[in-house]
Amino acid sequence: MKVRALLLGLVAVGLSTTAAAADPIVIKFSHVVAQDTPKGKAADKFKELAEKYTAGAVKVEVYPNSTLYKDKEEMEALQLGAVQMLAPSLAKFGPLGVREFEVFDLPFIFDSYEDLHKVTYGQVGQQLFSKLEPKGIKGLAYWDNGFKSFSANSPIKKPEDLKGKKMRIQSSKVLEEQMRELKALPQVMAFSEVYQALQTGVVDGTENPISNLYTQKMHEVQKHLAITDHGYLGYAVITNKKFWDGLPANVRTSLEKAMKESTEYANKIAKDENDQSLEMVKKSGKTEVTQLSKDERLAFKKALVPVHKKMESRIGAELIESIYKETGFDPAKL
Ligand code: LMR
């Protein structure tokens, strides 16, 4: 009897160690946008490559469209280890106590993706990542989305057109100041709630890269869209530092390779995705799209660049200067 029990016990131990050896490491990757967006596609690409390069030792579960966590909750979930990877917009790090990322929200600070990449692929981008470490977070990569445009239910051609409008923003003090500069009324709101807020009139308008506007169907509840390209929206792909550092070295190396390649993919498709979304919005006939003239856009730029100076004390004059240095932007020359 005793021998039988011992044998059964050994079989059970054997089974559980086999099961443990075969159990993949699960990475839950949560995000708030649709799958058919630059970030959604890049997250799916990372899943594909990570599983391939680790030969199944890692399983990536991607949860798009706020199905697992919304904006605010996802940061907490990452710190608690309930989720292992996120790619929040750079405008959403303020509540975590890392204000410097809001430098990316300064209106008109980047003229193009090329200018932006001097920062995100360079030293400044790496320095910003080091600010996350004391929070238990590790920055892995910067993924592009694109340049934002304003939408509302009334025409937008000049800065004054947004006066008095309730405008949804992400949780960034720079964006708050940007809206105040236009005499609009900023309202911080989770991304998952914007469509309904626009539909019911809780807010009058918002700002988005067109891929976000289109995939959330916001164009169906916004009569006007002005192509202002007044600010950048992109992402930091982040992970729980303890989780990342605890991975077997060979697994980590494979994941780094998967991340590098999905970053190249993300940053290659972002512009096209936004261009295609703009075509779809135009085709829908639901929103009137206004292409601003050079002078009209310049009027927005002149109205909004003063935000840089006003936000110096929050973000740090030195950081803003270091970006000007990379891109050649000179606020005195408009
Ligand atoms: C937003 O809240 O508007 C964006 O940050 C959503 C996103 O992740 O692109």
Side-chain angles (χ1 to χ4, degrees):
M1 197 56 188
K2 261 189 180 166
V3 174
R4 195 165 165 259
L6 191 65
L7 278 177
L8 278 176
L10 283 177
V11 170
V13 169
L15 279 178
S16 70
T17 45
T18 323
D23 270 352
I25 299 165
V26 175
I27 296 182
K28 289 192 172 147
F29 189 154
S30 172
H31 69 79
V32 299
V33 293
Q35 257 183 309
D36 197 16
T37 53
K39 176 164 66 178
K41 288 187 171 183
D44 289 348
K45 174 63 84 184
F46 174 72
K47 170 186 169 64
E48 176 200 321
L49 297 176
E51 291 178 356
K52 183 169 136 194
Y53 294 153
T54 61
V58 168
K59 184 167 179 281
V60 181
E61 294 173 1
V62 181
Y63 298 89
N65 242 334
S66 310
T67 46
L68 192 59
Y69 296 110
K70 296 183 192 174
D71 289 333
K72 223 163 99 192
E73 307 154 0
E74 67 173 19
M75 285 288 199
E76 287 159 17
L78 185 81
Q79 286 179 294
L80 292 172
V83 65
Q84 289 71 35
M85 239 184 226
L86 304 173
S89 143
L90 300 163
K92 290 178 182 167
F93 286 81
L96 196 73
V98 189
R99 303 163 166 194
E100 291 87 343
F101 282 87
E102 291 179 6
V103 77
F104 290 98
D105 300 330
L106 288 172
F108 294 98
I109 193 162
F110 303 109
D111 259 344
S112 62
Y113 284 102
E114 289 71 37
D115 273 357
L116 167 84
H117 290 163
K118 289 179 188 153
V119 176
T120 52
Y121 286 124
Q123 232 184 356
V124 179
Q126 282 314 308
Q127 277 161 9
L128 284 171
F129 275 163
S130 68
K131 312 254 177 216
L132 296 173
E133 306 237 338
K135 311 280 172 191
I137 293 176
K138 183 170 174 59
L140 297 175
Y142 290 95
W143 284 356
D144 287 345
N145 189 338
F147 292 87
K148 295 174 292 181
S149 285
F150 289 122
S151 65
N153 280 321
S154 45
I156 309 159
K157 280 208 119 183
K158 44 188 195 313
E160 301 80 62
D161 292 336
L162 290 173
K163 189 174 165 191
K165 302 271 179 245
K166 283 177 276 166
M167 299 293 283
R168 181 269 168 170
I169 55 164
Q170 307 172 81
S171 59
S172 156
K173 295 285 180 218
V174 169
L175 298 179
E176 202 173 306
E177 186 58 37
Q178 169 197 275
M179 291 302 185
R180 292 201 192 287
E181 204 66 32
L182 296 170
K183 303 199 169 46
L185 309 166
Q187 311 250 330
V188 175
M189 190 178 287
F191 186 62
S192 54
E193 287 160 19
V194 184
Y195 174 87
Q196 210 186 354
L198 290 169
Q199 191 186 35
T200 55
V202 169
V203 289
D204 303 308
T206 185
E207 55 168 11
N208 273 299
I210 315 300
S211 58
N212 276 357
L213 177 100
Y214 177 67
T215 53
Q216 297 296 322
K217 299 188 170 37
M218 292 182 206
H219 63 293
E220 293 183 359
V221 288
Q222 291 280 264
K223 292 200 177 74
H224 293 272
L225 169 68
I227 307 302
T228 43
D229 287 335
H230 61 272
Y232 174 74
L233 191 157
Y235 310 105
V237 188
I238 54 176
T239 184
N240 179 301
K241 187 168 156 41
K242 211 164 139 201
F243 164 78
W244 193 257
D245 291 345
L247 288 170
N250 61 332
V251 168
R252 204 171 37 241
T253 308
S254 299
L255 293 180
E256 278 163 3
K257 179 168 147 76
M259 183 51 64
K260 186 167 180 287
E261 289 176 26
S262 32
T263 299
E264 280 160 15
Y265 169 81
N267 297 353
K268 196 164 138 236
I269 65 165
K271 184 176 182 307
D272 270 1
E273 290 286 321
N274 280 295
D275 289 350
Q276 283 167 26
S277 291
L278 179 58
E279 285 315 304
M280 296 307 282
V281 170
K282 285 181 182 164
K283 236 193 204 162
S284 76
K286 295 196 193 277
T287 306
E288 192 168 326
V289 179
T290 306
Q291 197 70 51
L292 298 187
S293 70
K294 221 171 147 202
D295 282 350
E296 283 166 342
R297 187 165 177 270
L298 186 62
F300 275 96
K301 195 168 184 174
K302 285 190 171 156
L304 289 176
V305 166
V307 172
H308 296 206
K309 192 94 198 138
K310 288 193 178 155
M311 286 287 108
E312 257 180 25
S313 59
R314 179 168 173 86
I315 301 170
E318 238 175 79
L319 176 58
I320 300 176
E321 270 306 322
S322 67
I323 293 191
Y324 290 169
K325 220 169 128 204
E326 290 288 348
T327 64
F329 181 83
D330 183 351
K333 274 196 215 148
L334 285 184

